[in-house]
Structure formats: C-alpha cells, structure tokens
Amino acid sequence: MCRTDQVPEPGEEQDLDATDAVFTSLLEDSTEELYEQAPCGYLSTLMDGTIAKINTTLLDWLGLDRALVVGRMRFTDLLTVGGKLYHETHFAPLLQIKGEVSGIAMDIKAAGKQRMPVLVTSKVKTSEDGEPMLIRTTVFDARDRRAYETELLRGRQAAEEARRQSEADRERLQEALAALQQSLLPTALPVVPGLDAGSYYHTASPDLLGGDFYDLFPLDAGRWAFFLGDVCGKGPQAAALTSLARYTLRAAALHDADPITVLTTLNTVLHERYASGEDRYCTAIFGILEPADDGHVGLHLASGGHPSALIQRADGSADYLPTPGGLLIGVLPEAPFADARTDLRPGDTLLLYTDGLTEARIGSERELYGEDSLRAFTAALPPAGPQALITALSGLLASFGDGLDDDTALLALGVPATLTSEDLT
C-alpha cells in the first residue's frame, strides 16, 4: 500500500520530473499535425463544392496528391456515381436547408479504383452576418461497419432461408402425417340399408399422429359391425398400435362377431405384442347392428375401458348405455369386458366418441367439459339423425378453441325416422 502524502526519497523527485517531461513531449502535438494525421478525413470546401483544404488522412484514402485536389476538384468528384446522385438529390438540399447533416452513408473513390464506404458529416460555416462562407466536412471510415452490416445481412438471409426451409419441411411432414392419419381411418363410411351413419375426426396437432380410430363394415346375414377406440400416446408408435388394433378387430369380428370375444382377442394380441413392457394399450367399443323387419335395429356392444356410448332417442331424450367394469385393452393377459344390449328405433341415434370431447377444458376455470354436459347438449338438439348430430358436435369442438388439446373421433349410427321399402332391402 502506498501513501499519497509520502515524501519522495532523494533521487525519486528527479525521476518523476523526467517522466513528466516525456509525457509532456508526447502530448505536444501541433494543431496542424492533429488535423493532418487525424484518424478521420477532414476537408473544407467553398459553397460551390470546390475543395479548399484537405488533410493527409483523406488524401491517403483517395490515393491523390494535394496539388491535384485543392482548388481543382469538388467534393462530388471524390464520390462514386451513386454517391454523386445521392449528394445532388438529398445531401446538398438537406445541408442547404438545415446547415448541417450528420452520419450520411456514402461511397468514395479510394486508391486503386476501389469503392470505400464512409460516413459523412458536414456543417456550413457562416460569417457574423449569417452569410454562408464554406463547408466543413468530416469523413469517417465505414469499411468495418459495412463489413459488419454485410455479414449481418448475410446472417439474416441465411436465417430467413433456414426458416423458409424449415416451414417447407414442416408442410411436407404435415402432408405426410395427414396422409398416414387418413390411412388409419375409413375413406368413407359404407351405405348401410336401414341405417344412417356419420363420422368426424378432429386432429389436435398437425405435427403428431393421433391414436383415435373407428370403422363400420358388413358381417354375414345383413349384420354390421362397428368399433371406435383410442390408443395411448401419439406419434409413429401410436399409429402402429392403431393399425394393429383396427385390423385385429376386423379379423376377429369375421371369425366370431360376439363383442366380448372380439375385445378378448384384441386384448390377447396387444398383450402378447407389447409384453416387453412398452406400455401400449387402448380403449375401445365394439358392437353389432342387426336390422329387424319391423324397422328396429338390435344393438349389442362391449366396452374395454372406453367412455359409455350415448343414445339420442326419437322423443328428444338422451342417455348413456352403461358398460361398467370393462378394463383397458392390452394391460393384463386376461381382462373382463362389459357388454350391453338395446334396440334402436326409428329416429334414434347412437353416438360413440373418444375422451378428447369430454376432457376438453372450458371456461375461465378450465374445467372438464364432462359427460353430463355432453348429455345435456345432445338432449337439447332436435333428433335429426346421425349427420345432424355430428355437425352440431363438430361445431361444439370448434368452440372449445385451445381447450381442445386431444384428438377426437366421433361415430354416429342411427335409424331413419321414416323408413321406405328401399331402406329395408
């Protein structure tokens, strides 16, 4: 630690004086030297632009001799063609109006016929009477700045190109996913004699494959089979499970269409396929429709851990067809499944749905929409058949906005309110 009030030792005072003398000599620059060797260019011009004075720094940048410049050239002679044009149209008029301009980007013709970017600041010097006498101009080297701006622009262009490429790649991926998703669903529901049908599929994210599925297909003796389900997870693995579940259900139904037997077969297949602990399972409802001669349609279905089917009756009422006790499909080697039977009469509509509908978040409290709300919504609708119900529900799904964050599949099957002889054949 040193003390500021410490008295110098003998001889130290002479050393301090010598040091001060060295610094003083370094700082003894003449005004002319400061002007000529400044790190920027200086020049003074008459009001018509004729150069009256110019410093060495600017001359070195230009590669010109002072004798060829002073009194012989104008400021605009130092500029590129573009610089001259900008000077005439913007720089000079602005300087005349305001008396000064600052930081204007221009290009000068540097040594070796090179274009040199600079920043120009000019100010008009006036007499005591306010009459303009000359123009003092400072020229700053902007090559580093121009290089930085060029690099920055190149970086922005590269980032923009990367963004466009990313968007294009995403669009191609979404198209591929949409095509794959569509391949996991029937292209169109078949025409069923004596029945109407409607379906709808909502994709929560175009970037992910969903796991909801449904189908409607014929069996023997005028019977028709249907199913709707939801696999766990999303993405390629969920799509693989969806494909396996769909084809297993169809194949099992053609062998033995009893709903509990069909779901038992699916449970066996999934449990054996994913026995290594991949935690792959699904929920599903499988059922059979058997039209009768009197216009009624017999319904027999079974559920494995899936939300209960909802029936909208012709009298305007709506209620669930309970299937309690059915377990998730594929979790255990042997699983119980619950079945139920009822008749669909003219004007009745059976609705199957996945839990994306009832688990949507609504209101400021983000509460679950729930099964009670779905039943009340359906009961408030006129019984106008499957397609009308599907249309109303698709509008309901759209009203949820970002509260609907899961894929949702809807399948509605109903008996027309008025049957013709053609409907029964």
Side-chain angles (χ1 to χ4, degrees):
M1 180 181 294
C2 64
R3 294 174 56 186
T4 58
D5 58 349
Q6 184 176 0
V7 178
E9 296 290 335
E12 289 186 4
E13 186 173 351
Q14 294 180 356
D15 294 339
L16 291 174
D17 292 340
T19 301
D20 291 342
V22 171
F23 278 108
T24 300
S25 64
L26 291 175
L27 296 175
E28 285 181 351
D29 294 328
S30 66
T31 303
E32 187 65 22
E33 185 178 1
L34 290 174
Y35 177 83
E36 292 293 340
Q37 303 300 328
C40 59
Y42 287 121
L43 75 157
S44 299
T45 65
L46 302 179
M47 296 308 298
D48 64 357
T50 302
I51 298 174
K53 189 176 182 180
I54 186 169
N55 73 342
T56 302
T57 300
L58 185 52
L59 288 171
D60 290 343
W61 291 349
L62 297 169
L64 298 174
D65 294 329
R66 192 183 306 272
L68 297 176
V69 175
V70 176
R72 294 176 178 271
M73 299 179 68
R74 296 171 182 259
F75 174 61
T76 53
D77 295 331
L78 310 181
L79 304 176
T80 60
V81 174
K84 290 180 181 180
L85 180 60
Y86 186 83
H87 183 276
E88 296 299 328
T89 58
H90 294 78
F91 190 92
L94 187 60
L95 181 61
Q96 184 177 7
I97 295 172
K98 299 183 62 177
E100 62 179 313
V101 289
S102 179
I104 303 300
M106 290 185 175
D107 288 336
I108 62 174
K109 296 182 291 186
K113 297 183 179 180
Q114 297 295 315
R115 182 189 299 265
M116 177 177 171
V118 294
L119 295 177
V120 178
T121 296
S122 294
K123 185 173 183 178
V124 176
K125 179 183 178 181
T126 60
S127 65
E128 294 181 356
D129 298 332
E131 293 296 324
M133 298 172 58
L134 55 83
I135 301 171
R136 288 173 174 168
T137 298
T138 306
V139 182
F140 296 93
D141 186 351
R143 284 175 290 190
D144 290 343
R145 170 174 169 170
R146 182 68 60 84
Y148 168 76
E149 291 175 345
T150 301
E151 188 62 30
L152 181 61
L153 178 59
R154 185 180 297 112
R156 288 178 177 175
Q157 291 172 341
E160 180 64 21
E161 178 60 29
R163 184 190 64 80
R164 286 195 294 265
Q165 184 61 46
S166 176
E167 289 181 352
D169 292 343
R170 184 184 180 188
E171 288 180 2
R172 285 193 291 269
L173 175 61
Q174 289 179 350
E175 290 176 359
L177 291 177
L180 180 56
Q181 186 77 70
Q182 194 60 42
S183 71
L184 300 175
L185 301 170
T187 304
L189 294 179
V191 177
V192 182
L195 287 172
D196 290 333
S199 62
Y200 179 76
Y201 192 94
H202 167 80
T203 301
S205 172
D207 299 320
L208 292 173
L209 283 171
D212 296 2
F213 60 92
Y214 61 86
D215 207 349
L216 174 65
F217 55 97
L219 295 172
D220 57 344
R223 296 185 304 167
W224 288 77
F226 64 88
F227 59 78
L228 181 141
D230 184 3
V231 307
C232 70
K234 295 184 182 299
Q237 291 180 327
L241 179 57
T242 297
S243 179
L244 177 60
R246 289 185 72 247
Y247 291 111
T248 299
L249 287 170
R250 289 185 70 110
L254 295 176
H255 177 71
D256 185 344
D258 176 74
I260 290 183
T261 301
V262 171
L263 293 186
T264 300
T265 301
L266 177 61
N267 183 78
T268 301
V269 171
L270 294 188
H271 187 267
E272 291 179 354
R273 171 63 178 82
Y274 298 102
S276 60
E278 294 181 61
D279 195 27
R280 294 292 168 183
Y281 54 87
C282 74
T283 67
I285 284 183
F286 178 89
I288 299 172
L289 295 168
E290 188 168 3
D293 293 337
D294 61 359
H296 296 183
V297 175
L299 170 64
H300 182 200
L301 58 77
S303 172
H306 199 84
S308 297
L310 179 64
I311 299 179
Q312 182 190 41
R313 295 296 184 179
D315 61 6
S317 63
D319 211 344
Y320 291 100
L321 184 63
T323 47
L327 294 185
L328 296 173
I329 303 172
V331 176
L332 300 176
E334 295 182 1
F337 299 112
D339 68 338
R341 294 177 182 269
T342 191
D343 285 335
L344 296 180
R345 302 176 181 277
D348 292 348
T349 297
L350 172 72
L351 174 67
L352 307 179
Y353 56 93
T354 54
D355 59 9
L357 170 57
T358 52
E359 293 183 0
R361 298 286 178 173
I362 61 172
S364 59
E365 301 297 327
R366 308 293 286 177
E367 297 178 349
L368 292 178
Y369 182 67
E371 294 182 352
D372 290 341
S373 296
L374 175 60
R375 175 170 50 193
F377 178 85
T378 304
L381 297 173
Q387 192 54 57
L389 180 57
I390 291 295
T391 300
L393 288 172
S394 63
L396 175 65
L397 292 173
S399 71
F400 291 152
D402 59 5
L404 183 63
D405 58 3
D406 194 8
D407 295 338
T408 304
L410 304 175
L411 177 64
L413 307 168
V415 182
T418 301
L419 296 177
T420 65
S421 59
E422 293 180 356
D423 293 324
L424 298 176
T425 60

